[in-house]
């Protein structure tokens, strides 16, 4: 059961994304002032597009010292960066192309490579970032799929039982497409996890996940429980309509 205090409901999708972007800036600024660096793992899919657009434009863009921020990806589809399905492509368009972040601070998952090779390379990249950030990602942004998946951790996947690897190659059984995903050991080591969920079509799954008593492989999002971190759910009223 997710405590009420970790759930924020916004009247409109626009307000949700603006508030989520403002909160992310606050998290980044605090990390930069406390530790001199900041790492954020970005979620993919369609939902966060507007959030990243707000983040990449005035006034929020100007309030972040991008040269000290490291951006990671929670997951990626096994497609080249130019592909419309690529999470990197969406982030590049909405955010990376509009902020002065050094290319070396953007840790892309090589979707164009064979997934197990891309996972191996990304894991060593992530470890490098962790080594400079006190061993934890400051904030992991996550979305929620209609089947309860998050990142590319799908219901019943063997990746859900992973205890040590930080990154795994998986297959999205819905499409047969390969993916690379952060694992629960990595996500659950984060200082903060923020779920951003919008739309009426997510009302049913939001209700199921937030009402679930404990972690279950049937609903991977329920397994995101960083022992030393905070989980925040930011949802719009449409996605919350199953809770009322
Ligand atoms: C992905 C995401 C995935 C996404 C959910 C929600 O690569 O697709 O990482 O976990 O967040 O599937 O997707 P939508 O925002 O498109 O509904």
């Amino acid at each position: 059961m997710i405590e009420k205090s970790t759930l924020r409901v916004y009247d409109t999708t626009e307000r949700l994304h603006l508030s989520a972007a403002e909160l992310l800036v606050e998290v980044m600024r605090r990390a930069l002032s406390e530790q001199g660096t900041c790492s954020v793992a970005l979620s993919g899919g369609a939902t966060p597009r507007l959030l990243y657009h707000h983040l990449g434009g005035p006034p929020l863009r100007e309030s972040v010292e991008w040269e000290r921020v490291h951006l990671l990806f929670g997951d990626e589809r096994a497609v080249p960066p130019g592909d419309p399905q690529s999470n990197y492509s969406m982030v590049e368009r909405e955010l990376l192309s509009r902020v002065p972040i050094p290319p070396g601070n953007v840790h892309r998952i090589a979707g164009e490579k064979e997934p197990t090779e891309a996972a191996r390379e990304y894991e060593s990249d992530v470890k490098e970032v962790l080594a400079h950030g006190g061993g934890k990602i400051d904030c992991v942004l996550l979305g929620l799929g209609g089947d309860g998946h998050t990142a590319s951790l799908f219901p019943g996947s063997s990746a859900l039982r992973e205890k040590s690897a930080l990154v795994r190659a998986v297959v999205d059984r819905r499409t047969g497409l390969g993916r690379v995903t952060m694992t629960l050991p990595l996500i659950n080591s984060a200082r903060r996890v923020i779920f951003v969920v919008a739309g009426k079509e997510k009302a049913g799954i939001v209700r199921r996940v937030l009402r679930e008593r404990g972690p279950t492989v049937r609903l991977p999002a329920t397994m995101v429980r960083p022992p030393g971190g905070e989980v925040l759910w930011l949802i719009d009223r449409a996605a919350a309509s199953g809770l009322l």
Side-chain angles (χ1 to χ4, degrees):
M1 184 70 155
I2 298 286
E3 296 310 315
K4 226 162 175 38
S5 62
T6 60
L7 174 65
R8 295 181 195 172
V9 180
Y10 297 90
D11 280 342
T12 64
T13 307
E14 168 62 25
R15 188 73 233 152
L16 164 67
H17 289 301
L18 188 51
S19 301
E22 289 166 345
L23 177 64
L24 193 52
V25 165
E26 197 187 304
V27 167
M28 290 198 277
R29 288 170 61 88
R30 192 179 317 135
L32 289 171
S33 68
E34 288 170 2
Q35 54 202 47
T37 182
C38 164
S39 54
V40 175
L42 299 177
S43 59
T47 301
R49 207 171 283 156
L50 189 52
L51 191 174
Y52 300 149
H53 193 77
H54 282 308
L55 198 56
L60 293 179
R61 173 178 57 199
E62 283 68 29
S63 47
V64 175
E65 292 174 83
W66 293 100
E67 64 280 4
R68 295 199 292 159
V69 173
H70 284 265
L71 291 179
L72 299 155
F73 290 80
D75 69 330
E76 185 56 280
R77 293 82 179 273
V79 293
D83 188 296
Q85 292 189 78
S86 156
N87 288 333
Y88 174 79
S89 254
M90 180 269 288
V91 173
E92 208 277 338
R93 189 174 54 249
E94 300 297 344
L95 177 62
L96 303 180
S97 59
R98 304 168 66 223
V99 297
I101 186 167
N105 288 20
V106 179
H107 305 275
R108 185 178 72 85
I109 301 171
E112 69 279 14
K113 292 186 178 178
E114 197 279 319
T116 44
E117 184 191 350
R120 199 173 34 253
E121 287 178 2
Y122 187 55
E123 179 164 90
S124 61
D125 198 2
V126 169
K127 285 180 175 173
E128 189 66 28
V129 173
L130 293 178
H132 293 93
K136 293 171 178 283
I137 300 175
D138 291 300
C139 185
V140 175
L141 283 183
L142 291 174
L144 179 66
D147 58 359
H149 81 260
T150 193
S152 287
L153 297 168
F154 295 101
S157 165
S158 64
L160 295 170
R161 291 191 295 278
E162 180 60 59
K163 293 284 180 264
S164 54
L166 304 182
V167 180
R168 277 278 297 269
V170 297
V171 174
D172 178 351
R173 287 191 291 239
R174 305 169 303 175
T175 61
L177 191 61
R179 297 217 180 172
V180 174
T181 186
M182 287 188 171
T183 60
L184 289 166
L186 178 54
I187 292 170
N188 282 333
S189 72
R191 292 190 174 91
R192 180 181 282 99
V193 175
I194 301 177
F195 281 93
V196 179
V197 190
K200 191 150 184 59
E201 71 282 0
K202 296 288 174 74
I205 191 63
V206 164
R207 176 185 170 80
R208 285 181 62 201
V209 167
L210 294 190
R211 292 274 186 270
E212 188 63 41
R213 288 213 171 282
T216 167
V217 294
R218 289 180 293 101
L219 296 170
T222 62
M223 301 178 79
V224 174
R225 294 164 175 260
E230 175 201 24
V231 179
L232 199 50
W233 286 77
L234 308 182
I235 65 179
D236 64 7
R237 193 157 295 287
S241 56
L243 298 174
L244 309 176

